[in-house]
Amino acid sequence: GAVVSQHPSRVICKSGTSVKIECRSLDFQATTMFWYRQFPKQSLMLMATSNEGSKATYEQGVEKDKFLINHASLTLSTLTVTSAHPEDSSFYICSARDPGRTKNIQYFGAGTRLSVL
Amino acid sequence: SQQGEEDPQALSIQEGENATMNCSYKTSINNLQWYRQNSGRGLVHLILIRSNEREKHSGRLRVTLDTSKKSSSLLITASRAADTASYFCATETQGGSEKLVFGKGTKLTVNP
């Protein structure tokens, strides 16, 4: 299947710092990528839809200035958690659709566990 | 918002037994998908069933969809220890949005 790479897999940072997470589609071009957040033992919550060459579409309640999304190329989207605080600690997962395959299926990265001290 | 509600929340069975997980949703959908997540990892797509389909099979997986009841079930037959994971249903709502709305998931444990 299509491969989505997410980096880093784990990051520990101090409160107040910014953290960048990368999501790459390795063998296909993705005009749309998705960013999710997952709390322990809970489901995935969609944070935003990342559109190549345009602004991301944020879900209600998600602060766009807090979670900066950049989708500068057809294979890369980045999520930057700005001025991270302990409450931002979570598991962040990206996904992408491969237009060359069944378009409704999302292919997921392995996730990034963010721990803010 | 979370549309899907899976039940049970947790299921523990012995190897070789069948596992059935259910999902309910609230709005009209284009399709419903099931994904699997191993602990601390990303999700892997298992199967997609469209709104005009009632049943679909893939290997040991069988999915049903009842749009009148807004519910779906995932059956895993002859379970293996390697099937231990969390299983999520996700719905793509009508209206052209590419977004998926995930349910809360069922944590399946298959004991050897």
Side-chain angles (χ1 to χ4, degrees), chain B residues 53-65:
Chain B
E53 297 176 309
R54 292 296 166 259
E55 187 172 313
K56 207 162 183 181
H57 298 255
S58 177
R60 293 184 296 114
L61 306 180
R62 173 178 169 256
V63 169
T64 63
L65 178 64

Side-chain angles (χ1 to χ4, degrees), chain B residues 59-112:
Chain B
R60 293 184 296 114
L61 306 180
R62 173 178 169 256
V63 169
T64 63
L65 178 64
D66 186 334
T67 53
S68 66
K69 295 181 179 178
K70 291 187 167 57
S71 67
S72 173
S73 68
L74 171 66
L75 168 68
I76 303 175
T77 60
S79 64
R80 306 165 181 168
D83 294 329
T84 295
S86 291
Y87 292 82
F88 295 91
C89 70
T91 53
E92 182 179 301
T93 57
Q94 288 184 354
S97 169
E98 294 184 323
K99 297 190 295 186
L100 290 178
V101 179
F102 283 83
K104 295 180 180 179
T106 294
K107 183 171 174 57
L108 172 66
T109 302
V110 182
N111 301 299

Side-chain angles (χ1 to χ4, degrees), chain A residues 20-94:
Chain A
K20 180 184 283 189
I21 303 169
E22 292 186 349
C23 182
R24 294 180 185 272
S25 56
L26 297 188
D27 55 354
F28 65 98
Q29 294 184 330
T31 55
T32 304
M33 291 185 174
F34 303 89
W35 287 96
Y36 296 86
R37 182 172 182 176
Q38 185 179 31
F39 291 102
K41 299 183 180 180
Q42 293 190 28
S43 187
L44 281 73
M45 181 191 77
L46 179 65
M47 300 174 66
T49 302
S50 171
N51 305 296
E52 188 268 334
S54 64
K55 292 182 179 180
T57 304
Y58 289 82
E59 294 299 299
Q60 191 173 8
V62 178
E63 299 175 59
K64 62 180 181 180
D65 295 329
K66 173 75 171 175
F67 300 100
L68 298 178
I69 291 172
N70 185 291
H71 193 154
S73 79
L74 286 171
T75 59
L76 174 64
S77 176
T78 60
L79 168 68
T80 300
V81 183
T82 62
S83 187
H85 291 283
E87 58 266 28
D88 298 323
S89 298
S90 191
F91 191 57
Y92 293 88
I93 313 175
C94 71

Side-chain angles (χ1 to χ4, degrees), chain B residues 7-98:
Chain B
D7 77 271
Q9 291 187 352
L11 179 62
S12 182
I13 59 175
Q14 296 298 124
E15 241 181 349
E17 294 180 340
N18 296 341
T20 300
M21 291 160 267
N22 302 296
C23 167
S24 61
Y25 57 92
K26 297 176 181 175
T27 63
S28 295
I29 62 173
N30 285 331
N31 62 74
L32 184 145
Q33 303 176 38
W34 285 89
Y35 287 81
R36 165 196 169 127
Q37 182 182 34
N38 283 19
S39 181
R41 304 289 293 172
L43 278 71
V44 175
H45 178 263
L46 295 176
I47 195 164
L48 178 153
I49 187 165
R50 301 194 185 281
S51 59
N52 61 353
E53 297 176 309
R54 292 296 166 259
E55 187 172 313
K56 207 162 183 181
H57 298 255
S58 177
R60 293 184 296 114
L61 306 180
R62 173 178 169 256
V63 169
T64 63
L65 178 64
D66 186 334
T67 53
S68 66
K69 295 181 179 178
K70 291 187 167 57
S71 67
S72 173
S73 68
L74 171 66
L75 168 68
I76 303 175
T77 60
S79 64
R80 306 165 181 168
D83 294 329
T84 295
S86 291
Y87 292 82
F88 295 91
C89 70
T91 53
E92 182 179 301
T93 57
Q94 288 184 354
S97 169
E98 294 184 323

